[in-house]
Amino acid sequence: MITGMTKIVGIFGYPIEHTLSPFMHNAAFEALGLDYCYIPFSVHPDNLRSAAAAIRILNIVGVNITIPHKEAIIPYLDGLDREAELIGAVNTVLNKDGKLIGYNTDGRGFIKSLKEEGGVNPKGESVMIIGAGGAARAIAFSLAIEGVDKIFINDIISEKAKELSCAVSTKTSTEAIHIKDLKEGIGETDVLINATPLGMKKKDPLPIATDLLSQGLFVYDIVYNPPETSLLREAKKRCSKTLGGLGMLLYQGALSFKIWTGIEPPVDVMRKAIESKIV
Ligand code: NAP
């Protein structure tokens, strides 16, 4: 029940109707008996500055930031944590006594999922990322922070892969190499990540030719809906292990929850809440 004491958190995006975050966070608040409510806010890009100001004015505890605002929100914040600064994008804002601090939990959510659900410690491994958009950026920097040996990055727009590789190589001690052809790095790759939207629609082509999938390769598809993409199905036949994107979604949310409340979230409750919406 909403009371006069209820604390508000939420999410800014445009469009926002598809978001699963309210289910996951509100289920967690209810399970812990916390007087919080998570609300979706449809924020048109023209109104982002006013929406950021409203976080302070309305005393909102914090918000998640999603497409298309993850980079655009930065000028309206008072500070960034180290990872958000490195990535250059924010998915979580905390209103700390009127100061808005930006965090990025996407990459750390991915790492937590890879380690806890996949049983893979990326330190010293070689990774290939297909796609060089926002999600790939967060993943690449978090992998570099974890001490991966090498990251191969590919995108249909070669310039995007080049820019991201260059940023990772310059700002971290990890070597990132942009590749035009997936054949170039696949032989050295331990973990393959699909960070493109391919797989969301039934008729999407695979992001990689099946003859490049081989035993020993760990395949992580960050697409979470459907839970099993055609890439994961093909990889299951040929590779050692696979994982879908639900865990990344879950853990980025769990990390945001902790930032806002200071309380360890009930991850199982959050997982059930999102699974019930996509399975
Ligand atoms: P994005 O910024 O649009 O980035 C996707 C990138 O992949 C774009 O640069 C795109 O190029 C490129 N691309 C598309 N097809 C490709 C192909 N065949 N080969 C190489 N590159 C290709 O999107 P995003 O925000 O990074 O999200 C990507 C996907 O991850 C979405 O499906 C999203 O739902 C999912 N995601 C999951 C989580 C999670 O928690 N599990 C979190 C964030 C995102 P163009 O721009 O030319 O199309």
Side-chain angles (χ1 to χ4, degrees), residues 67 70 106 130-137 154-157 160 194-198 200 206-207 220-224 244-250 252:
I67 286 171
K70 288 188 181 184
D106 283 331
I130 313 176
R137 196 171 188 88
N154 168 268
D155 194 284
I156 357 183
I157 303 172
K160 274 173 102 170
N194 174 41
T196 76
L198 292 179
M200 293 177 79
L206 290 174
Y220 195 120
D221 195 336
I222 73 164
V223 170
Y224 56 82
L246 195 138
M248 175 178 171
L249 177 70
L250 171 70
Q252 63 77 30

Side-chain angles (χ1 to χ4, degrees), residues 196-272:
T196 76
L198 292 179
M200 293 177 79
K201 297 193 200 113
K202 249 190 179 160
K203 287 187 179 161
D204 280 344
L206 290 174
I208 184 166
T210 51
D211 61 356
L212 297 183
L213 298 172
S214 61
Q215 244 215 324
L217 195 62
F218 185 105
V219 179
Y220 195 120
D221 195 336
I222 73 164
V223 170
Y224 56 82
N225 202 2
E228 187 178 71
T229 58
S230 40
L231 170 64
L232 292 183
R233 256 193 315 279
E234 291 303 319
K236 268 179 189 163
K237 295 180 201 160
R238 299 168 175 85
C239 305
S240 12
K241 219 169 166 196
T242 62
L243 206 51
L246 195 138
M248 175 178 171
L249 177 70
L250 171 70
Y251 286 114
Q252 63 77 30
L255 290 161
S256 300
F257 184 102
K258 179 90 191 277
I259 288 169
W260 297 323
T261 63
I263 294 168
E264 221 45 72
V267 172
D268 290 349
V269 171
M270 295 171 88
R271 184 188 292 277
K272 274 194 195 123

Side-chain angles (χ1 to χ4, degrees), residues 148-190:
V148 290
D149 184 43
K150 212 181 261 181
I151 309 178
F152 298 102
I153 304 176
N154 168 268
D155 194 284
I156 357 183
I157 303 172
S158 189
E159 278 309 305
K160 274 173 102 170
K162 204 170 176 179
E163 189 281 322
L164 179 55
S165 310
C166 190
V168 172
S169 298
T170 315
K171 293 184 183 178
T172 75
S173 53
T174 292
E175 185 188 6
I177 303 155
H178 98 276
I179 48 166
K180 287 192 176 161
D181 188 329
L182 300 180
K183 281 186 200 139
E184 287 173 43
I186 199 71
E188 278 183 67
T189 299
D190 304 300

